[in-house]
Each structure stands twice: as structure tokens, then as C-alpha cells.
Amino acid sequence: MAITTYRQALRDTLRAEMLRDENVLLMGEEIGVFEGSYKITEGLLKEFGPRRVKDTPIAEEGFVGAAIGAAMLGLRPVVELMTINFSLLALDQIVNHAAKIYGMFGGQKSVPMVIRTPGGGGQQLGATHSQNVELYYAFVPGLKVVAPSTPLDAVALMKASIRDDDPVLFLENLALYNTKGEVPEDLSTVQPAEIGRAAVTREGTDITIIGYSRMAHVARDVAEKLAAEGFSAEVVDLRSLRPLDRETIVQSVRKTGCAVVAEDDWLTYGIGAEIAATIQEGAFDWLDAPVRRVAMAEVPLPYAKSLEMAALPSGDDLLTVCRETLRATGRSTVETAR
């Protein structure tokens, strides 16, 4: 095993998949000569040439549409959108074409494409460049939406996404690119992940903490702090938002009796609301306290660093809510953090 960054894991997996299958090609703004805004495609134009690493105009609707056509004709395009905020310019192509062609054509044509895109705040990029709008896509039948939180999961889910015959939105978070983790030096030994399967990254008995992407990291950190206070927290990393692994969520909450959901987007109508409904339907009789949610403030994200960080959900926010939830079950006498 080697220690590598999330960024490098993505780059190495793209290269490995391009070597494995000549039908895999990359498309996106500045991914070739400039090697990508976040250097995920570094060196790939030089190695594979412009036929397979295509710089596109600043026209998301146009090149996403071109990728859909290429996928219908047998290629496996991996599209990089510079930020998930720009995906809104291609919303019609993603929602009305990529997601629906298989069903509308009676299964005669599939759309095996991946849309890679980072999101998330904390980088002082302003309100229109710092959103997490994955719920727009997790809402849509016909799409798959994945959100790996570790370098190893990034490898396994990227392999699975490229080889899948359905369109996959591959969510990255800007805050994760420099995070590190263990990945085998030989990527061929990493099996593609099962899309739609969550991971229990920490076993526990007192409370379930559910998160994805950046908030899966925050959840693990909070679980460590709760352990120091004498509580056993189970952490569920969703990894996939559509399909959603309801079974793993429900099984965990039935074991612990309470749950807190952490998400990096707005609270209202968010991913956490869907998870809370899932728990209510599948584990209501096992609950010792209401399901709680931790999310960002419901405002366009401020540019000022202090205000931006205050608006984003933090480890302290999650720890406070976990303590409150444990107190509501009667298991804890810990005072709520101020």
C-alpha cells in the first residue's frame, strides 16, 4: 500500500482506465494543455493525445451533449465540469437526455458516461462557485450519483462509474483533493465498488452518524471525540446518493437507537431529509430520540472567510448535536457544548 492524495488517486485511476479501454476518453474545459483546474488530468494529454483528451469550449451544455452522443455510439466519455455550479448550465442535457435516453428508447441505447465535478465551500470562491447542489441530481431517476470520501473509495468508485452502462455523476469536494489515504500501488488489484452500497467506517453501539464526502471525514473525527467521552459512535459513509443504501442506514440505526445526519448542503429538502424519512420508515420503533440533522446555513455562501466558515457545518456543530441526541436518549449526562 502507498499513501496518496485524493487528487492523485483520481488521476491515476483515469490513466489506468484509459490504458485498459481505448473507448474511454476525457472531455472538459482546460483539461488538456492546462492539465485541469485542479490538476486531475496532469500529463494525460501528453500520454494519450488530443483524440482522447479533449479541451472543450466554455459551453457546458454543448460538450455535455456531445459526450452523451459519443456515449450512445459506444464510447465511454468522462466529462470534467470545472465546478458543480457550472453543471446548471447543462441541466437540460443531464436531466432530460442522459438520464432518460435508456428508458425513452426502450433499452435500445444506453449512455455510459461519467460527469466528474467538484463542489463545496471553504475556498472563498463566492456564493455562485461554492454550492453543493447534488440533491438536484440525486432526485432524478436514470442517473447514478456517487460521492467518495477517501482516495481508495475514489479509485473503486471511479472504476465502477466508468464501467457502468448508466450515466454517473461523480461528486468531488474541493476540500478533499489534498487529503491522503492508503491505496495499493497496483491499482489493478482494486475491484470496482458496488454503486449504491454505503460503508460502515466505524462500528458503534450508542449513536449512528451518517455523512458523505467531506462530512464523512467530519463524522469520523466526531466519533473519535465521543469515544474519548465514553460513547460508541457508528459512522456510515453513504458513498452513493443514488441509489441510496437504505438497508445499511436502517440496520445501523436499529442497532444504536438514534441518528444524526451531517451534510454539506442546505437543510431544507436536503439529502438529510431523505435519510431521516428512511429511518422513520425503517427504524421508527427502535428510535430513542428524534433524528437530527446538521447542515450549512441557509444563505448564499458569503465570500468573507470568517462568515463563510461560520455558515459551513463544522465538527463542533456535529459534536454538539450528537451530545444533545445522546442526552435525549437518557444515555448521557454530558452538557451541550457552548
Side-chain angles (χ1 to χ4, degrees):
M1 301 290 280
I3 301 297
T4 190
T5 63
Y6 191 101
R7 181 197 317 274
Q8 190 66 35
L10 287 172
R11 186 263 177 200
D12 291 347
T13 308
L14 289 175
R15 178 179 181 271
E17 288 298 291
M18 293 178 77
L19 289 170
R20 183 191 65 84
D21 184 352
E22 64 179 10
N23 289 319
V24 177
L25 71 152
L26 311 183
M27 301 172 62
E29 298 156 342
E30 299 183 345
I31 67 166
V33 175
F34 189 68
E35 300 185 317
S37 297
Y38 307 105
K39 300 303 177 184
I40 306 297
T41 54
E42 183 177 12
L44 298 183
L45 173 63
K46 182 177 180 180
E47 181 172 0
F48 293 99
R51 182 173 175 270
R52 297 185 65 193
V53 181
K54 294 186 173 295
D55 277 319
T56 66
I58 304 175
E60 286 79 7
E61 184 176 19
F63 66 76
V64 170
I68 292 170
M72 292 176 68
L73 292 174
L75 299 179
R76 291 186 176 268
V78 180
V79 175
E80 178 178 313
L81 294 177
M82 196 177 294
T83 160
I84 195 170
N85 305 274
F86 298 167
S87 73
L88 302 179
L89 297 168
L91 197 63
D92 180 61
Q93 293 288 0
I94 298 169
V95 172
N96 276 334
H97 299 283
K100 294 182 173 62
I101 282 171
Y102 182 83
M104 292 180 67
F105 284 32
Q108 296 177 80
K109 280 293 179 182
S110 58
V111 184
M113 65 181 289
V114 179
I115 299 175
R116 290 184 41 248
T117 185
Q123 315 299 317
Q124 284 193 281
L125 296 176
T128 59
H129 289 67
S130 304
Q131 302 174 102
N132 286 291
V133 293
E134 53 265 22
L135 63 94
Y136 291 4
Y137 303 106
F139 174 69
V140 180
L143 291 178
K144 293 179 179 176
V145 182
V146 300
S149 66
T150 67
L152 183 57
D153 277 349
V155 173
L157 280 168
M158 180 59 75
K159 284 188 173 187
S161 299
I162 290 174
R163 300 179 193 187
D164 201 287
D165 287 334
D166 293 318
V168 180
L169 185 70
F170 192 97
L171 299 171
E172 301 159 15
N173 190 296
L174 294 171
L176 295 182
Y177 279 146
N178 290 328
T179 59
K180 295 181 179 180
E182 288 189 336
V183 174
E185 294 185 8
D186 182 0
L187 291 186
S188 66
T189 64
V190 179
Q191 294 300 310
E194 180 183 353
I195 295 178
R197 181 64 61 187
V200 176
T201 57
R202 183 188 178 100
E203 298 277 351
T205 56
D206 292 326
I207 187 171
T208 298
I209 309 174
I210 302 164
Y212 66 92
S213 193
R214 183 183 79 91
M215 293 308 289
H217 284 265
V218 175
R220 289 190 286 272
D221 291 342
V222 167
E224 292 285 346
K225 292 178 180 178
L226 288 173
E229 297 175 4
F231 299 104
S232 175
E234 182 150 298
V235 177
V236 177
D237 183 346
L238 294 176
R239 302 201 302 175
S240 173
L241 304 182
R242 178 177 277 271
L244 183 64
D245 186 357
R246 301 179 193 273
E247 180 181 356
T248 296
I249 295 167
V250 168
Q251 285 180 347
S252 177
V253 178
R254 286 185 177 186
K255 178 170 66 171
T256 64
C258 59
V260 176
V261 187
E263 55 189 319
D264 234 344
D265 51 15
W266 298 301
L267 189 76
T268 303
Y269 305 116
I271 302 297
E274 180 63 30
I275 296 169
T278 294
I279 294 170
Q280 188 274 338
E281 292 170 358
F284 179 79
D285 289 338
W286 285 263
L287 286 174
D288 297 321
V291 179
R292 296 288 302 276
R293 294 177 288 154
V294 176
M296 70 170 285
E298 302 221 351
V299 297
L301 202 63
Y303 174 78
K305 189 69 172 180
S306 58
L307 294 177
E308 181 181 34
M309 298 313 294
L312 291 171
S314 69
D316 287 342
D317 295 332
L318 181 56
L319 182 60
T320 296
V321 172
C322 287
R323 286 170 170 165
E324 290 174 349
T325 302
L326 286 163
R327 289 176 60 197
T329 68
R331 304 172 199 169
S332 172
T333 59
V334 177
E335 289 296 323
T336 302
R338 299 291 182 182

